[in-house]
Amino acid sequence: ALAARIELVEARISLTVARAAQAESSHITELGGGAAVFSRPGSPINKLIGLGFAGPLDTDALAAIEVAWHARGEPVRVELSSLADPAIAEQLATRGYRTRGFEHVLARPLAADTRHEPATDILIREDDAAWLPTLTAGFATPDGSAIPLDPLSHDALAQILHDFAAAPGFRRYTARLAGDPDAPVGAAALRIDDRVALLCGAATLPSARRRGVQAALLATRLRDASRAGCELAVVTTEPGSLSQKNIARQGFELAY
């Protein structure tokens, strides 16, 4: 039940970003209790998500999605929870789908308090104009602790983050070191849906890594999520990555 709830929240993020992009090539449809979301060619938003919690897939509907996406030159990617109905994975396998990689979804309960406070030597600003370029630069230079499934060029990365910037419902944070408040060094986002706080899109510039920037961005978002009445915080990471280790230090545990 918890996985189904989180997966639907994640699906609504994909839908929101794709609709905000307003790309002429977009193709959005419901499928298997979740959604098939195509925004623009090459976008990581393009996926089938939230499947496996509402019975088997309609194979005719899936075939129509495959035709529509292949006509756009796009492979069909499925983000399938390990707690989904195993019959879904079997259906996909018979159609030639194969496993390409894994992600970890980590979660922790939230109480209605304000104990999550960032370090005083990190300054966090919300709705800062530097959010988009800082996040783009941070993601463009990964820390090397994990291998991304689908590496993006700088231009493709800038486009998808621009789509995120245009989407409603996100809170956007930028971090600066107290000794140099004019230079942004990190950025992150928060989206609240169904009392679930999705902590997404966090990155730090290489020059400021291992200085507590991610911890400060995380603490700020947890504080704001608590104040907004959220009962659960959720983060998706690459298995074994530095991000996962940082998140685990803040009380998050593997959900699935």
Side-chain angles (χ1 to χ4, degrees):
L2 177 62
R5 181 181 177 189
I6 293 172
E7 289 291 302
L8 288 178
V9 170
E10 293 273 15
R12 286 194 286 268
I13 284 185
S14 296
L15 289 166
T16 298
V17 174
R19 287 167 176 156
Q22 297 182 332
E24 293 182 3
S25 60
S26 65
H27 182 270
I28 300 172
T29 185
E30 295 181 1
L31 180 70
V37 183
F38 179 93
S39 175
R40 62 176 81 248
S43 172
I45 288 296
N46 302 343
K47 66 182 76 172
L48 276 57
I49 185 170
L51 314 181
F53 299 97
L57 296 180
D58 181 333
T59 54
D60 290 338
L62 177 57
I65 290 167
E66 292 168 348
V67 170
W69 288 31
H70 293 162
R72 292 163 170 79
E74 189 79 6
V76 181
R77 303 175 185 86
V78 181
E79 198 168 279
L80 185 66
S81 169
S82 59
L83 296 179
D85 184 344
I88 303 297
E90 186 174 351
Q91 280 187 291
L92 294 170
T94 61
R95 300 183 68 84
Y97 288 80
R98 60 186 177 87
T99 303
R100 293 198 59 236
F102 300 89
E103 291 180 328
H104 280 170
V105 177
L106 298 101
R108 60 157 291 172
L110 288 176
D113 58 41
T114 58
R115 288 177 292 175
H116 311 287
E117 292 294 343
T120 56
D121 58 343
I122 308 291
L123 307 177
I124 308 294
R125 298 177 183 173
E126 195 170 351
D127 296 326
D128 189 321
W131 180 84
L132 181 57
T134 304
L135 197 60
T136 302
F139 275 129
T141 50
D143 61 26
S145 64
I147 301 174
L149 291 179
D150 295 298
L152 298 173
S153 68
H154 186 277
D155 289 346
L157 182 61
Q159 180 63 72
I160 184 58
L161 292 178
H162 182 274
D163 292 342
F164 266 94
F170 288 91
R171 297 181 66 169
R172 301 171 180 87
Y173 302 84
T174 305
R176 290 169 165 79
L177 301 178
D180 189 6
D182 294 329
V185 295
L190 165 68
R191 182 175 172 85
I192 295 173
D193 184 348
D194 189 24
R195 300 186 71 190
V196 174
L198 263 294
L199 310 179
C200 46
T204 304
L205 300 185
S207 61
R209 287 173 184 166
R210 293 175 174 81
R211 299 182 66 175
V213 174
Q214 284 301 307
L217 287 165
L218 178 60
T220 300
R221 290 177 291 167
L222 290 175
R223 178 200 64 196
D224 290 352
S226 293
R227 290 176 176 176
C230 290
E231 58 187 22
L232 188 71
V234 175
V235 182
T236 300
T237 72
E238 294 168 319
S241 64
L242 183 60
S243 292
Q244 180 176 333
K245 293 177 182 179
N246 290 336
I247 291 297
R249 294 190 185 103
Q250 303 298 323
F252 283 79
E253 297 182 353
L254 182 66
Y256 57 94

